[in-house]
Amino acid sequence: MIKANREILLLIAFFTVVRLAVSPSFGLGVDEAHYFLYAKYLDLSYVDHPPLVGWFHAPIYNLFGTSEFLVRLPAIILFALTTYLLYQFTAALSGSRQIALLAALAVNSSFLFNALSFMLLPDSFLYPLMLLLIFTIKKMEASPEPKYFIFLGLLLGLAGLAKYTAILFVPPLVAYFIIKRRYDLLVSKQMLLAAIIALLMVSPVLYWNIQNDFVSFRYQTGHVMGSSSIDIKAFFTSLAAQFGSYSPFLFLIAFYGFFKSFRDKNDWIRLGLLFGGTILIFFLYTSLRETALPHWNSPFYLLFIPIGVYYLSGPVRNKKKIFLNFSIGFTLIVTLLLYAELGGKFFRFPDYQSPFRDIYGYDTMAAEANTILKENKSAKQALAVTNWTVGSRMTYYALPYGMDVFVIDKRVDQFDFWQKLSPVGYDLLFVNTRFDREDIDKSYRCDAVQPIKNMDILLNGGKVNSVDFVWCRNFRGDRK
């Protein structure tokens, strides 16, 4: 088996080693830090998402503490697994291990998939679970043994514990068995068993939402569906973001594969069309109301970049194949250069225009804040920020120092559940960054407002960010 899969294992090993080497060299992004905090505040579910990402992080946090390497290790391992499963999926639909290898290389060349390969997001679990669902459906079709239905229930349950959009995996499953006229599988005691297993597994999420007035369901509905009015600009902004994020060439390859697949009778491609198409259509619809983040559609690209590679790979070296090879080669070269810059940080960018703005300097801010708090020695003191995205990173980097961090904003979010104490009566040291700046004196009621220090976050002599540390003595709430 190892000999037969030697090439894909080498490809996986190469990208995994690169990611492991680069992973400790830059700070956590907002989502990485936020989802890692789930491990500190373990619960049955959360406002933002179901709990699987936090449950996965918890053993690492409790056994080993914090570090960028440990935070990213699960995501890197999961993406290695995803690559192997994707290789098997493409080999099954194409009948060619060479095409499957090229498809795996294409996905691992994508800009956004490389970013996602570092970050343990709810989506990180959906990728292998979706591919395993496709394999399980084919197994059930060939041999409807009870073990496959049990496995189906487990997979759907895990997906539901990862992300709410896992519900989009159910319509493709139903549609496939209807298309194949396998009503004996769809309407059966075994399928009922699979449904019961899945529901039991997601019951913690349902229970938590019932206990908390369905706040997570309401939050996600508003977050994804947006307003009731049509916004054409949001639609095209969403598409443009995907065009650039995955790589313009891979974007075109994915949609080429999508449109070519409509008339294909290959069952593997049909399953890809049902799963990927459902996700694509759903988020195209929602992007008419709210700009969709590029990674929301990532399961579609995970399936259709390989399918597009399959359609463009022919035995003859024609224009399509030249375009395919150039697209993958160009994207791979750019990706490797980005890895080099991410790890080495060779360039000096103009002040406040660094691409490292969101992933650089928060550890330095936390260390400086800890020094200021130690010097102050108030009876009740804590850090404060005015934006949840800064709050996630500052809370993470404050963990080694044992500092309390309050997020002072009017947005209902996860921090409202984590912050059990009121900040009223505290001396709050506000961490005011250049890009999330609040006028503390005008915004909040304090006995005294005392600017303490201004600090520039520098990289190669260029200013990445600037931060003001400002005391609000005896915080008494908002002025607004």
Side-chain angles (χ1 to χ4, degrees), residues 404-436:
D404 293 323
V405 180
F406 286 105
V407 176
I408 312 294
D409 64 6
K410 295 181 179 180
R411 177 180 181 265
V412 177
D413 56 28
Q414 187 61 58
F415 285 98
D416 294 298
F417 288 78
W418 288 342
Q419 293 176 181
K420 302 299 184 184
L421 300 176
S422 169
V424 173
Y426 275 77
D427 284 349
L428 295 182
L429 180 64
F430 276 89
V431 181
N432 230 358
T433 70
R434 177 184 174 85
F435 302 101
D436 294 284

Side-chain angles (χ1 to χ4, degrees), residues 40-109:
K40 175 176 171 59
Y41 302 99
L42 275 180
D43 209 335
L44 295 177
S45 194
Y46 300 90
V47 174
D48 316 273
H49 287 291
L52 188 59
V53 64
W55 293 356
F56 213 73
H57 268 313
I60 296 173
Y61 171 61
N62 289 314
L63 290 173
F64 304 108
T66 63
S67 79
E68 285 86 357
F69 179 83
L70 289 173
V71 172
R72 291 177 173 134
L73 181 61
I76 293 170
I77 293 171
L78 278 172
F79 204 79
L81 172 62
T82 297
T83 300
Y84 182 76
L85 293 173
L86 192 65
Y87 170 80
Q88 297 294 344
F89 168 75
T90 312
L93 71 87
S94 67
S96 167
R97 292 191 177 275
Q98 289 303 114
I99 292 175
L101 187 68
L102 192 61
L105 179 62
V107 168
N108 278 271
S109 300

Side-chain angles (χ1 to χ4, degrees), residues 224-226 234 281-292 296:
V224 173
M225 297 301 295
I281 291 168
F282 176 78
F283 284 114
L284 284 178
Y285 170 74
T286 62
S287 66
L288 286 168
R289 289 167 167 77
E290 180 80 10
T291 302
W296 291 356

Side-chain angles (χ1 to χ4, degrees), residues 385-407:
V385 297
T386 60
N387 178 283
W388 77 271
T389 63
V390 178
S392 294
R393 284 165 286 185
M394 287 304 299
T395 302
Y396 171 82
Y397 284 108
L399 288 175
Y401 304 107
M403 294 184 289
D404 293 323
V405 180
F406 286 105
V407 176

